Amino acid sequence: MAQLEGYYFSAALSCTFLVSCLLFSAFSRALREPYMDEIFHLPQAQRYCEGHFSLSQWDPMITTLPGLYLVSVGVVKPAIWIFGWSEHVVCSIGMLRFVNLLFSVGNFYLLYLLFRKVQPRNKAASSIQRVLSTLTLAVFPTLYFFNFLYYTEAGSMFFTLFAYLMCLYGNHKTSAFLGFCGFMFRQTNIIWAVFCAGNVIAQKLTEAWKTELQKKEDRLPPIKGPFAEFRKILQFLLAYSMSFKNLSMLLLLTWPYILLGFLFCAFVVVNGGIVIGDRSSHEACLHFPQLFYFFSFTLFFSFPHLLSPSKIKTFLSLVWKRRILFFVVTLVSVFLVWKFTYAHKYLLADNRHYTFYVWKRVFQRYETVKYLLVPAYIFAGWSIADSLKSKSIFWNLMFFICSFIVIVPQKLLEFRYFILPYVIYRLNITLPPTSRLVCELSCYAIVNFITFYIFLNKTFQWPNSQDIQRFMW
């Protein structure tokens, strides 16, 4: 079975890379010049490739650290010595974009290793399920699209997944170092390094909680009421945190992540904030509806696992059973939508992104739409939480807190911000049946075909510009 799984994996990776190379060729023919954010990234990478690392050569419009450019130079520069290529060739747009295609291969392999580590291997059918799950996430539309442009997504995903894998194998010093590499690609990736530390803490808390539950019931006074379980967990956490032995054990396990956290804090103090370069368009705010948009995004792309008649029936039954709780949740959600909905200037002005049309045709058309969608947000959030019930309550707590911190401060609604939390979520749900995975993969293939076709063939021009514009995520 293990040998057969190896054949499945090799075939899936080879086919995906072949298709990716064909698409890369199509992108290269259609896009001879930098497009969208590439107008900042590519010239900066080329300056690094030419050996100009001075801060005076830095483009002030770039808001991320130079991880992508440094890795790109480390990958393409040896081609001068190995193949005798000229600097003009190795620092070309095509070569720099190809770095992300290499990252995509690494991401495919890391996803497979993570599925093998996270998911149980006691079922005969799990081999094909793991490979199908890997293939599905590797071609996840929002992520897969940016493998062909010189953006930070592919590299950011690579180092974050690698850090998570090392964390799961208990190699926390390596995990923290890889977390630092991810931070060099995008500053918010520091939160996923914190998630790795949280994963360690959640594991130890879960072990202690299970031990506590196995003890005699008379050790703790019985607690009754609607929030009995919640109060028990709070009592347990308080007792656990009061133990010096427990805290010292967690400190010894997580010190590499704590050191990384101190380095991040030092960076924020010295830099005067998280964002470098142009800060005017990247101001943090409490954009609570971003969490609702993420729930909707996840429901849309994982609908074979999250949306079914039985799920809806279970949800409605639970709503009726706990109607007061859900009524309060609905009121709070409506209030958050009312007071904390923001529309970034880029969202309103840039008609090259799909989010522009989602906002214009859904949220701007009728003022009440954003409130009418609240029940759907609640269902999506509940369905996501329900699909993670195989994970411990402490793991869930760490995941949702980290997702909240990554997503909510973003004023701009952009699907790219949802990629990492979505992939982490999708890795950790119970391995779905093969039929659902085939359905999910087929839908991803259709979405990818449509988005690539539109991007490459349905071009347009702005009235005041001769440049060719294209629709994209």
Side-chain angles (χ1 to χ4, degrees):
M1 183 58 69
Q3 186 178 13
L4 193 59
E5 184 173 350
Y7 291 144
Y8 291 151
F9 171 77
S10 300
L13 177 58
S14 301
C15 291
T16 305
F17 185 65
L18 175 61
V19 172
S20 296
C21 286
L22 294 173
L23 283 170
F24 182 81
S25 177
F27 265 69
S28 299
R29 289 194 302 270
L31 293 174
R32 301 288 184 180
E33 299 295 328
Y35 185 68
M36 288 289 288
D37 290 2
E38 285 187 327
I39 63 174
F40 310 116
H41 294 308
L42 282 168
Q44 187 64 55
Q46 288 170 335
R47 284 192 285 272
Y48 273 41
C49 197
E50 293 164 2
H52 303 307
F53 296 97
S54 171
L55 286 176
S56 62
Q57 298 284 322
W58 182 262
D59 187 339
M61 294 300 294
I62 296 174
T63 58
T64 53
L65 292 166
L68 175 61
Y69 320 132
L70 294 171
V71 171
S72 298
V73 171
V75 171
V76 303
K77 202 72 171 178
I80 294 178
W81 315 313
I82 297 172
F83 303 111
W85 293 348
S86 67
E87 190 173 89
H88 175 73
V89 172
V90 299
C91 300
S92 65
I93 293 174
M95 282 291 288
L96 290 171
R97 284 177 178 159
F98 191 73
V99 171
N100 274 347
L101 205 60
L102 296 179
F103 272 131
S104 73
V105 176
N107 287 334
F108 194 106
Y109 187 52
L110 287 171
L111 287 169
Y112 175 69
L113 294 177
L114 281 164
F115 273 117
R116 284 183 63 87
K117 183 64 178 175
V118 172
Q119 302 292 350
R121 282 171 275 174
N122 55 352
K123 294 182 179 179
S126 63
S127 296
I128 187 67
Q129 287 171 289
R130 279 194 299 274
V131 174
L132 270 177
S133 295
T134 301
L135 177 59
T136 301
L137 266 189
V139 299
F140 172 53
T142 315
L143 171 63
Y144 190 62
F145 180 86
F146 290 102
N147 290 339
F148 305 96
L149 295 173
Y150 197 65
Y151 275 56
T152 59
E153 267 63 39
S156 171
M157 177 65 65
F158 176 83
F159 285 107
T160 303
L161 291 180
F162 206 169
Y164 186 34
L165 181 67
M166 290 297 99
C167 170
L168 294 178
Y169 276 101
N171 196 337
H172 300 299
K173 290 188 285 293
T174 304
S175 177
F177 172 74
L178 292 166
F180 171 77
C181 294
F183 163 73
M184 289 294 290
F185 274 70
R186 180 168 289 172
Q187 290 90 309
T188 52
N189 285 346
I190 194 69
I191 303 303
W192 298 111
V194 173
F195 171 75
C196 290
N199 192 80
V200 177
I201 295 170
Q203 183 180 359
K204 294 302 176 183
L205 287 173
T206 302
E207 291 171 0
W209 176 244
K210 287 179 179 178
T211 303
E212 191 70 24
L213 291 177
Q214 289 171 356
K215 292 180 179 179
K216 293 182 179 180
E217 288 293 329
D218 58 359
R219 189 177 184 275
L220 289 173
I223 303 174
K224 296 181 180 180
F227 299 104
E229 194 68 21
F230 179 70
R231 291 163 66 188
K232 283 181 182 178
I233 292 171
L234 280 182
Q235 282 190 355
F236 162 75
L237 288 175
L238 182 63
Y240 188 91
S241 62
M242 295 298 289
S243 168
F244 177 78
K245 179 183 177 182
N246 293 334
L247 294 180
S248 58
M249 175 189 64
L250 294 178
L251 183 64
L252 286 173
L253 286 171
T254 60
W255 71 263
Y257 306 108
I258 295 172
L259 179 61
L260 180 59
F262 280 125
L263 288 173
F264 172 73
C265 292
F267 161 78
V268 171
V269 171
V270 172
N271 185 55
I274 297 176
V275 177
I276 63 171
D278 179 28
R279 300 181 184 181
S280 61
S281 302
H282 297 83
E283 297 174 349
C285 64
L286 286 175
H287 194 178
F288 291 107
Q290 283 277 37
L291 199 61
F292 301 147
Y293 306 149
F294 170 66
F295 290 160
S296 305
F297 175 88
T298 304
L299 183 68
F300 177 81
F301 282 107
S302 283
F303 79 91
H305 321 305
L306 298 179
L307 192 60
S308 67
S310 61
K311 277 259 186 186
I312 296 172
K313 184 179 179 181
T314 302
F315 174 72
L316 292 175
S317 175
L318 187 64
V319 168
W320 179 251
K321 184 179 179 181
R322 301 182 179 177
R323 47 191 175 275
I324 296 176
L325 174 62
F326 277 93
F327 178 72
V328 173
V329 170
T330 302
L331 284 181
V332 172
S333 300
V334 168
F335 175 78
L336 293 176
V337 169
W338 174 43
K339 284 293 186 182
F340 296 95
T341 296
Y342 299 99
H344 196 282
K345 60 183 179 181
Y346 290 168
L347 177 64
L348 300 175
D350 196 340
N351 65 343
R352 294 170 294 182
H353 290 292
Y354 295 142
T355 47
F356 171 87
Y357 300 96
V358 171
W359 191 263
K360 181 180 178 180
R361 296 179 181 179
V362 177
F363 293 95
Q364 276 191 322
R365 178 162 291 185
Y366 301 106
E367 181 66 23
T368 56
V369 166
K370 60 184 180 182
Y371 303 111
L372 294 176
L373 287 173
V374 166
Y377 297 151
I378 295 173
F379 169 76
W382 170 83
S383 190
I384 291 166
D386 185 65
S387 65
L388 288 170
K389 61 187 178 185
S390 62
K391 310 297 289 187
S392 73
I393 188 171
F394 305 109
W395 187 95
N396 275 275
L397 190 63
M398 297 296 179
F399 171 72
F400 283 108
I401 287 175
C402 290
S403 299
F404 180 91
I405 296 172
V406 167
I407 294 168
V408 168
Q410 306 281 0
K411 188 175 183 180
L412 177 62
L413 170 59
E414 190 165 352
F415 294 143
R416 287 189 298 151
Y417 300 152
F418 300 154
I419 294 174
L420 262 171
Y422 177 84
V423 169
I424 298 295
Y425 156 77
R426 184 62 185 76
L427 279 166
N428 285 278
I429 65 172
T430 304
L431 211 58
T434 304
S435 57
R436 290 184 187 174
L437 289 171
V438 171
C439 175
E440 184 182 28
L441 179 60
S442 301
C443 291
Y444 284 8
I446 293 169
V447 172
N448 279 328
F449 176 82
I450 294 171
T451 52
F452 284 123
Y453 178 80
I454 291 174
F455 182 81
L456 294 172
N457 297 285
K458 300 298 181 179
T459 60
F460 66 100
Q461 289 179 303
W462 288 333
N464 59 344
S465 173
Q466 294 300 313
D467 295 334
I468 298 296
Q469 309 299 336
R470 301 172 186 274
F471 300 102
M472 61 186 288
W473 287 108

